[in-house]
């Protein structure tokens, strides 16, 4: 290999590398050249910046990139590598080439390839005998483009898989009010457990709580003999499969206590078996001080870290003590609003334009009595009764209630979409003649969100700390209720519709009935559309809305995912590619598809009620499944312009779209493509409509979602999409590093991007 480094009179350096590439098993000579420009006139000692030798091998472009990166890293000034009209190769760095920005950025995103690749291999499609190719012809002039709705991509939060309780809602204590075991006493206190044995402690529940809506309290009888219980007896709560306690962080513990005698109680955060104390405080009080229910609050600062920790309430003193509403909240939550920071950030990174909540089937309930009743989830947390979500089969203390969902939407900058019960659960339904109480509950719930602080329900919101109304503009009447067995849905829907439109004409109402194949027979602003299919089937549904009537209400694809035990498994690359194809179709049909969200969003790995999901977590760690990372390919779409494009070729397993958007005052064009085929496909992108006199292509960024096998899933071991540190292969988030490596411009006006299974050429 030969390298030549030159500096011309304009302080322009050029790096020229003659090397051999491995092309389909044969060595082939390639001539590569890049230029670099100093930002100021001080000269760079360029020759010493380069490695003594650029290694020759299968990946020469890595070496070239490394060399250029090294020049940059050793330069005191900004040092940009950019396209020069003299040369036939350039490597672009997004960050530094912003400085060269004039009017158009070209950003190329490639999404995945169906089959495995072995290391990095350059494939020259022109030499491939079995050539598969497609050409995407893009008209880049916005004139023929179409605006994409501002709210196209959002998220759907459902209390499923312990997404909220034991997840986004940072409360560490599970069953804090002892209500989970039911209202008939004595009841189970699970997951609380006893510290001590029968000879020293007896624990029962009774109905003596001071809170009217949750009467169950815990009574602890301590029976230590004359030698006492030196290490203390009591109860502990393991949280949701262990509490994440971190050294140096503070935890606010609140509890209600009552006793017939003096008390001396240790409140401690300990390791999972109690052997190590991470933080502790004493509650010492005279009988006269605690003869009635008394609220105690304390701040515990952890001196150690354990993500399987527990909360203990212990004493060495004989007597009767009652506890109720025991809470442990990390002080460090998003804005102190109670949302677990890392999970919240994962949502933010999707740039959601809306958030649909609180479910799903969770809204319906298996039985109406166990459905989500918003009025029982507002007000002081201590007074909320909590409820058993009988579809996903777990108890929630309802810390994440109606108010908190609106707060979440506001914190995310996403439009709230409230789904309320339509008088229908999985097993019972309310006939239309008797639906009025449900309608009133919905109207009250809307007033809670957007009524002024003097209104009946707006005042409850104001008392909770949010006098300003939340901007509620969308509601959904029920979830998946427009099925034949739910005979009252349409009748009920109309009563809700008329009442809401009368009181709030600007609110957009979402029907559960499907209008994708034929027009709805009732008024609605959107209709809900859910789809869970195997990956390939979902991919082929990219054309689902092509023939939908352009006149009726728009679709709200509020739940979609590739789901199949045999192909999508727990969320792999194949599922993500199927979803990518489907999403590209939705983006292209965004004149009739108004909103889109994946489902479900979260999964606590200890409660795999529904898989796959977008974000998997335990008490301390998380990762995005490939489905999560696919959604990040669409974060610029909402409010962008869909460019007119057509595709021709001989592969039916490629979907692509082109959009343009503005960011920080600059114009961008983004092309997304997915190859679902198990063969290499050459993708040519031809662009017309660019005004060559004032257009300068000044930066390119390629992002690839791919992996060694389409069955690859992500894991806690590779938690974040960190381009800088990621290794190649084996992880479907392996996006940016590969993207940086394979960037070749062969001709002045074309960009060729080569991937193992996807060969792309773009020309302007
Ligand atoms: O997303 C999981 C469930 O799937 C939702 O609760 C329900 O609406 C759908 O059936």
């Amino acid at each position: 290999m030969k390298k030549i480094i030159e500096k011309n009179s304009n302080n322009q350096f050029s790096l020229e590398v003659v090397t051999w590439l491995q092309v389909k098993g044969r060595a082939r000579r390639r001539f590569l050249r890049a230029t670099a420009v100093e930002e100021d006139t001080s000269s760079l000692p360029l020759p010493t910046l380069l490695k003594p030798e650029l290694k020759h091998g299968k990946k020469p472009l890595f070496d070239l990139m490394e060399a250029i990166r090294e020049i940059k890293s050793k330069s005191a000034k900004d040092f940009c590598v950019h396209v020069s009209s003299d040369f036939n190769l350039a490597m672009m760095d997004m960050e530094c080439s912003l400085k060269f920005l004039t009017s158009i950025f070209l950003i190329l995103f490639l999404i995945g390839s169906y089959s495995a690749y072995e290391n990095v291999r350059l494939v020259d499609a022109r030499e491939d005998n079995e050539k598969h190719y497609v050409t995407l012809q893009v008209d880049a002039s916005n004139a023929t483009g179409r605006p994409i709705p501002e709210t196209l991509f959002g998220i759907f939060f459902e209390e499923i898989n312990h997404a909220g309780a034991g997840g986004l809602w940072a409360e560490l204590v599970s069953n804090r009010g002892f209500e989970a075991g039911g209202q008939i006493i004595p009841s189970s206190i699970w997951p609380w457990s006893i510290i001590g044995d029968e000879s020293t402690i007896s624990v029962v529940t009774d109905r003596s709580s001071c809170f009217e809506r949750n009467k169950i309290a815990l009574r602890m009888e301590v029976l230590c003999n004359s030698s006492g219980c030196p290490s203390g007896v009591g109860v502990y709560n393991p949280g949701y499969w262990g509490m994440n306690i971190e050294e140096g962080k503070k935890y606010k513990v609140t509890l209600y206590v009552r006793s017939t005698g003096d008390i001396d109680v240790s409140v401690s955060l300990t390791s999972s078996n109690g052997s190590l104390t991470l933080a502790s405080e004493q509650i010492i009080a005279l009988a006269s001080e605690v003869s009635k229910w008394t609220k105690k609050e304390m701040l515990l600062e952890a001196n150690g870290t354990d993500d399987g920790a527990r909360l203990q309430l212990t004493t060495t003193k004989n007597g009767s003590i009652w506890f109720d509403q025991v809470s442990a909240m990390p002080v460090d939550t998003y804005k102190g609003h109670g949302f677990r920071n890392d999970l919240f950030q994962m949502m933010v990174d999707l740039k959601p334009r809306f958030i649909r909540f609180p479910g799903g089937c969770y809204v319906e309930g298996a039985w109406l009595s166990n459905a989500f009743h918003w009025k029982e989830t507002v007000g002081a947390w201590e007074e909320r009764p909590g409820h058993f979500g009988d579809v996903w089969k777990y108890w929630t203390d309802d810390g994440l209630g109606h108010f908190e969902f609106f707060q979440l939407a506001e914190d995310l900058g996403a439009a709230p979409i409230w789904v309320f019960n339509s008088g229908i659960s999985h097993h019972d339904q309310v006939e239309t003649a008797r639906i009025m109480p449900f309608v009133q509950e919905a109207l009250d719930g809307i007033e809670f969100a957007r009524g002024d602080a003097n209104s009946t329900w707006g005042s409850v919101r104001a008392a909770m700390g949010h006098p300003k109304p939340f901007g509620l503009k969308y509601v959904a009447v029920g979830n998946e209720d427009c099925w034949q067995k739910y005979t009252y849905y349409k009748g009920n829907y109309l009563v809700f519709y008329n009442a809401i439109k009368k009181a709030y004409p600007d609110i957009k109402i979402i029907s559960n009935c499907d209008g994708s194949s034929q027009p709805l027979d009732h008024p609605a602003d959107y209709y809900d559309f859910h789809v869970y299919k195997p990956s390939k089937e979902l991919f082929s549904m990219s054309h689902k809305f092509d023939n939908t009537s352009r006149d009726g209400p728009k679709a709200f694809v509020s739940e979609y995912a590739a789901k199949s035990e045999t192909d999508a498994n727990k969320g792999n690359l194949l599922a993500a590619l199927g979803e990518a194809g489907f999403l590209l179709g939705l983006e292209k049909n965004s004149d009739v598809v108004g909103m889109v969200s994946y489902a479900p969003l979260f999964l606590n790995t200890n409660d795999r009620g529904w898989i796959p999901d977008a974000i998997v977590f335990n008490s301390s760690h998380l990762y995005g499944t490939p489905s999560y990372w696919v959604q990040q390919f669409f974060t610029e779409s909402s409010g962008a312009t869909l460019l007119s494009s057509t595709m021709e070729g001989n592969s039916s397993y490629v979907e692509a779209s082109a959009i343009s958007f503005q960011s920080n005052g600059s114009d961008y064009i983004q092309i997304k493509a997915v190859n679902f085929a198990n063969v290499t496909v050459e993708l040519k992108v031809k662009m017309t409509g660019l005004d060559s006199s004032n257009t300068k292509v000044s930066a390119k960024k390629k992002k690839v979602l791919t992996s060694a096998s389409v069955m690859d899933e992500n894991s806690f071991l590779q938690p974040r999409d960190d381009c800088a540190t990621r290794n190649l292969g084996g992880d479907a988030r392996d996006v940016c590093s590969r993207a940086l490596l394979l960037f070749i411009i062969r001709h002045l006006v074309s960009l060729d991007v080569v991937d193992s299974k996807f060969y792309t050429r773009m020309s302007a």
Side-chain angles (χ1 to χ4, degrees):
M1 177 173 45
K2 196 174 137 200
K3 66 175 187 286
I4 304 163
I5 302 149
E6 290 168 352
K7 181 179 178 185
N8 66 20
S9 54
N10 298 326
N11 273 332
Q12 196 173 48
F13 293 99
S14 70
L15 166 73
E16 198 176 290
V17 181
V18 181
T19 188
W20 294 86
L21 304 185
Q22 196 76 19
V23 179
K24 300 217 98 187
R26 285 190 289 123
R28 198 157 183 249
R29 194 162 174 266
R30 284 282 155 98
F31 177 78
L32 312 172
R33 195 164 184 176
T35 59
V37 180
E38 266 183 287
E39 285 288 283
D40 64 13
T41 51
S42 63
S43 69
L44 278 168
L46 188 63
T48 61
L49 293 178
L50 289 172
K51 283 186 175 175
E53 195 179 303
L54 290 178
K55 281 191 210 106
H56 177 43
K58 275 187 177 177
K59 306 175 217 166
L61 296 180
F62 288 61
D63 301 328
L64 189 60
M65 285 299 289
E66 266 168 31
I68 289 169
R69 270 200 290 271
E70 198 167 315
I71 294 171
K72 286 185 63 186
S73 69
K74 294 196 177 172
S75 164
K77 305 285 172 191
D78 282 341
F79 191 85
C80 297
V81 179
H82 76 125
V83 181
S84 160
S85 59
D86 299 340
F87 303 122
N88 61 0
L89 171 105
M91 308 274 179
M92 304 294 295
D93 180 275
M94 186 70 179
E95 186 192 343
C96 85
S97 42
L98 279 169
K99 297 182 189 317
F100 293 91
L101 197 151
T102 51
S103 61
I104 296 277
F105 265 62
L106 287 179
I107 300 182
L108 184 73
F109 285 159
L110 289 184
I111 308 174
S113 69
Y114 181 92
S115 65
Y117 61 82
E118 299 164 16
N119 278 325
V120 175
R121 187 168 61 96
L122 298 184
V123 176
D124 189 329
R126 286 167 300 185
E127 295 185 358
D128 189 341
N129 294 333
E130 301 158 49
K131 193 162 88 172
H132 298 264
Y133 63 89
V134 289
T135 302
L136 184 71
Q137 175 78 53
V138 179
D139 179 354
S141 64
N142 281 353
T144 58
R146 204 190 54 222
I148 295 175
E150 290 286 346
T151 51
L152 187 59
F153 288 103
I155 52 179
F156 164 44
F157 182 97
E158 172 159 26
E159 182 59 89
I160 182 174
N161 308 323
H162 281 84
L168 181 66
W169 188 246
E171 172 64 71
L172 296 170
V173 177
S174 170
N175 188 18
R176 65 187 175 193
F178 306 101
E179 313 293 319
Q183 295 299 308
I184 298 168
I185 52 166
S187 55
S188 155
I189 59 168
W190 189 90
W192 291 88
S193 289
I194 296 168
I195 301 168
D197 58 35
E198 281 175 8
S199 65
T200 54
I201 182 166
S202 121
V203 170
V204 289
T205 51
D206 66 20
R207 294 184 52 83
S208 68
S209 170
C210 56
F211 300 112
E212 279 315 306
R213 293 198 294 179
N214 49 28
K215 290 305 291 179
I216 305 290
L218 181 91
R219 181 173 152 223
M220 201 165 94
E221 204 72 44
V222 179
L223 316 156
C224 296
N225 59 26
S226 51
S227 54
C229 314
S231 53
V233 294
V235 288
Y236 73 85
N237 187 291
Y240 298 91
W241 303 281
M243 299 176 178
N244 182 33
I245 302 301
E246 294 174 85
E247 186 173 357
K249 293 215 167 159
K250 294 189 174 126
Y251 301 86
K252 183 178 174 188
V253 176
T254 307
L255 57 81
Y256 289 75
V257 63
R258 168 170 88 88
S259 180
T260 47
D262 300 349
I263 60 166
D264 183 348
V265 175
S266 295
V267 178
S268 322
L269 293 166
T270 72
S271 56
S272 57
N273 61 6
S275 60
L276 206 68
T277 300
L278 304 167
S280 191
E281 286 286 336
Q282 294 294 120
I283 301 177
I284 300 170
L286 297 172
S288 57
E289 296 172 282
V290 288
S291 62
K292 292 191 176 138
W293 282 108
T294 308
K295 183 178 187 177
K296 295 284 180 192
E297 289 177 298
M298 61 221 83
L299 211 53
L300 269 59
E301 184 168 342
N303 57 24
T305 295
D306 191 335
D307 65 2
R310 69 193 204 185
L311 176 74
Q312 295 191 168
L313 307 175
T314 54
T315 185
T316 55
K317 240 174 131 43
N318 281 354
S320 303
I321 308 179
W322 284 259
F323 291 112
D324 197 11
Q325 297 302 336
V326 184
S327 160
M329 268 302 236
V331 169
D332 184 16
T333 62
Y334 183 75
K335 283 188 174 176
H337 288 166
F339 308 123
R340 189 174 134 177
N341 280 314
D342 54 348
L343 297 180
F344 182 84
Q345 189 57 43
M346 290 293 273
M347 301 167 99
V348 169
D349 291 347
L350 293 178
K351 299 189 184 167
R353 297 301 182 96
F354 66 82
I355 175 169
R356 174 182 184 243
F357 64 83
C361 297
Y362 180 69
V363 168
E364 303 171 87
W367 297 94
L368 280 171
S369 53
N370 292 320
F372 182 81
H373 296 288
W374 75 266
K375 287 184 183 172
E376 314 219 310
T377 72
V378 296
W381 61 267
E382 301 94 317
E383 290 170 18
R384 302 182 194 178
H387 81 286
F388 179 69
D390 59 355
V391 174
W392 307 123
K393 304 220 175 322
Y394 60 90
W395 175 264
T396 156
D397 294 317
D398 284 328
L400 183 56
H402 197 53
F403 176 92
E404 289 76 15
F405 281 117
F406 282 102
Q407 186 63 66
L408 176 63
E410 185 176 273
D411 288 347
L412 288 167
I417 301 183
W418 179 37
V419 186
F420 53 72
N421 189 293
S422 65
I424 292 172
S425 78
H426 288 186
H427 301 304
D428 49 358
Q429 50 180 325
V430 176
E431 55 190 89
T432 303
R434 294 171 196 273
I435 199 63
M436 245 359 249
F438 281 76
V439 175
Q440 193 54 52
E441 187 166 323
L443 289 170
D444 292 346
I446 296 171
E447 184 181 279
F448 176 91
R450 52 182 272 176
D452 70 42
N454 299 319
S455 61
T456 309
W457 287 104
S459 68
V460 178
R461 180 200 68 238
M464 291 179 74
H466 203 287
K468 217 174 124 220
F470 291 112
L472 174 62
K473 294 210 178 92
Y474 303 88
V475 296
V477 183
N479 174 70
E480 295 184 345
D481 295 339
C482 189
W483 294 359
Q484 242 174 1
K485 70 171 184 172
Y486 301 132
T487 41
Y488 293 109
Y489 180 72
K490 283 195 190 165
N492 291 2
Y493 171 87
L494 280 176
V495 183
F496 280 103
Y497 182 90
N498 291 329
I500 293 169
K501 281 288 179 192
K502 189 170 171 205
Y504 304 97
D506 64 310
I507 286 193
K508 306 275 182 238
I509 300 179
I510 301 156
S511 163
N512 285 179
C513 303
D514 181 8
S516 62
S517 314
Q518 55 186 38
L520 294 184
D521 59 4
H522 54 269
D525 297 296
Y526 291 86
Y527 62 88
D528 211 353
F529 184 90
H530 296 180
V531 56
Y532 297 98
K533 296 274 185 205
S535 311
K536 193 169 168 186
E537 222 176 301
L538 191 64
F539 182 88
S540 62
M541 282 183 70
S542 57
H543 298 284
K544 167 74 194 161
F545 292 91
D546 288 3
N547 299 319
T548 295
S549 157
R550 269 40 205 169
D551 297 332
K554 290 189 183 197
F556 176 15
V557 182
S558 72
E559 298 183 24
Y560 76 87
K563 183 169 174 59
S564 149
E565 276 171 26
T566 50
D567 76 359
N569 291 345
K570 298 194 299 295
N572 53 24
L573 177 61
L574 186 62
L577 296 178
E579 288 154 8
F582 180 61
L583 289 180
L584 287 169
L586 298 186
E587 190 180 75
K588 283 193 266 186
N589 279 295
S590 56
D591 55 333
V592 288
V593 177
M595 296 186 281
V596 182
S597 47
Y598 177 91
L601 184 63
F602 284 121
L603 171 97
N604 183 318
T605 192
N606 297 290
D607 175 19
R608 297 183 161 263
W610 181 291
I611 51 173
D613 309 85
I615 301 162
V616 181
F617 62 88
N618 57 24
S619 71
S620 56
H621 290 77
L622 62 80
Y623 66 88
T625 61
S627 300
Y628 173 84
W629 299 110
V630 159
Q631 291 174 63
Q632 283 215 352
F633 281 64
F634 292 83
T635 50
E636 305 304 338
S637 296
S638 305
T641 299
L642 180 79
L643 297 177
S644 161
S645 66
T646 50
M647 194 145 66
E648 283 171 9
N650 67 357
S651 175
S652 53
Y653 285 113
V654 173
E655 291 293 336
S657 78
I659 63 169
S660 70
F661 62 94
Q662 286 209 320
S663 180
N664 297 328
S666 302
D667 295 309
Y668 293 78
I669 290 174
Q670 180 189 75
I671 289 159
K672 296 187 283 295
V674 55
N675 178 12
F676 198 79
N678 62 356
V679 291
T680 300
V681 176
E682 177 183 337
L683 171 68
K684 288 183 186 165
V685 179
K686 288 189 183 162
M687 220 171 266
T688 55
L690 287 174
D691 179 354
S692 56
S693 61
N694 64 14
T695 297
K696 182 171 172 190
V697 175
S698 49
K700 298 138 200 96
K701 184 173 149 191
K702 182 185 164 205
K703 192 170 162 183
V704 180
L705 180 61
T706 188
S707 193
S709 157
V710 284
M711 301 313 274
D712 278 350
E713 298 178 5
N714 292 340
S715 68
F716 285 115
L717 297 176
Q718 299 244 25
R720 307 284 305 208
D721 180 34
D722 182 351
C723 305
T725 58
R726 214 173 315 110
N727 295 320
L728 290 183
D731 190 311
R733 287 161 297 136
D734 186 10
V735 178
C736 313
S737 50
R738 279 178 52 74
L740 281 174
L741 302 174
L742 298 168
F743 233 156
I744 311 170
I745 291 182
R746 286 201 179 130
H747 314 288
L748 176 62
V749 292
S750 77
L751 167 67
D752 296 347
V753 181
V754 185
D755 194 85
S756 62
K757 288 292 174 190
F758 210 162
Y759 177 96
T760 308
R761 167 176 297 171
M762 189 164 73
S763 42

